[in-house]
Amino acid sequence: MPGQDALARLQDAAALWSVNPATAADVIEAACDCLMAGVDSPTLRILAGVSPEKGSESDELRRWLEDALAELSLTHYREGSREGEEEALRVMARRVLAHTITPRDLASWTYSFLAWDGTPLAAELIALEDAYLYVDSVYNGHPYTGTTTADLDADVVAEARRLIGDTTVESC
C-alpha cells in the first residue's frame, strides 16, 4: 500500500532525525511523500511545507513534528533519546538487510552517531567499526590476519539481524 509505505518512510526519517538533525530534509521529503500517497493531516501539511533550506529547518521540525506524527499514530522520538537511538539503529539495520547500505556503512554510522555512550544495543557495531579500522590500517590489505573485511561484513549482517529480531540464517 503506497500510503503505508510512505508512513513507514516518515517514521524511519523521524527516528533518524532524532539522532542526526542533519537529516531534516529527509523528514520533510517523507512528509511530502505521504501527502502524495494520499496520507493527510493538518500538521502533516505544515511539516511538508517546511523549507528544507539549511539553517532553520530543524527548528521548524521541532515545532511541528511531534504533532504531525501523533495525528498519524506514529511514534515521536525525542532528540537524543535512548528510544530514538534504538529505533534509528533498527532503521539502519533494516537498510543493511535490504542491501541499500553496506555493512561497513552501518558500522561507521553507528560509530559516528551513537558512540560508546549511547544505547548499549550499538556496542557490538561500534566494536566492529573499530575492527574494520584495525584491519584497514594495520594490515592494509596484507594477509597478516585471519580476519578479513568480508568476515566483518558477515558479523555486521548477523548483528543487524539480531537487532531487528530476524532469526533467519543467510546461506553463504
Side-chain angles (χ1 to χ4, degrees), residues 130-162:
D130 283 340
Y132 277 116
L133 293 171
Y134 183 75
V135 168
D136 288 349
S137 66
V138 172
Y139 296 107
N140 199 19
H142 298 291
Y144 295 124
T145 180
T147 302
T148 66
T149 55
D151 296 328
L152 296 174
D153 288 349
D155 290 343
V156 169
V157 169
E159 183 62 10
R161 288 187 187 289
R162 186 191 69 76

Side-chain angles (χ1 to χ4, degrees), residues 66-85:
E66 185 172 4
D67 289 342
L69 294 174
E71 289 173 358
L72 300 169
S73 299
L74 298 176
T75 304
H76 176 260
Y77 299 100
R78 215 175 18 82
E79 282 182 79
S81 70
R82 176 69 44 98
E83 296 81 12
E85 288 180 351

Side-chain angles (χ1 to χ4, degrees), residues 12-79:
D12 289 355
L16 289 170
W17 182 76
S18 76
V19 251
N20 178 17
T23 60
D26 294 336
V27 176
I28 296 163
E29 182 179 331
C32 292
D33 290 347
C34 282
L35 291 173
M36 292 182 65
V39 176
D40 197 3
S41 81
T43 311
L44 179 65
R45 289 182 213 153
I46 295 169
L47 189 64
V50 171
S51 172
E53 204 169 297
K54 289 265 186 228
S56 65
E57 77 282 1
S58 288
D59 292 336
E60 285 293 305
L61 278 184
R62 280 182 197 91
R63 182 173 178 191
W64 302 108
L65 183 60
E66 185 172 4
D67 289 342
L69 294 174
E71 289 173 358
L72 300 169
S73 299
L74 298 176
T75 304
H76 176 260
Y77 299 100
R78 215 175 18 82
E79 282 182 79

Side-chain angles (χ1 to χ4, degrees), residues 101-140:
I101 65 171
T102 67
R104 179 68 186 265
D105 291 338
L106 173 58
S108 294
W109 178 88
T110 305
Y111 187 90
S112 297
F113 292 106
L114 300 182
W116 286 108
D117 59 346
T119 175
L121 289 179
E124 182 63 24
L125 289 170
I126 292 169
L128 286 164
E129 175 60 9
D130 283 340
Y132 277 116
L133 293 171
Y134 183 75
V135 168
D136 288 349
S137 66
V138 172
Y139 296 107
N140 199 19

Side-chain angles (χ1 to χ4, degrees), residues 90-102:
R90 287 184 189 99
V91 168
M92 296 300 285
R94 286 191 297 271
R95 289 180 179 182
V96 164
L97 298 177
H99 304 290
T100 58
I101 65 171
T102 67

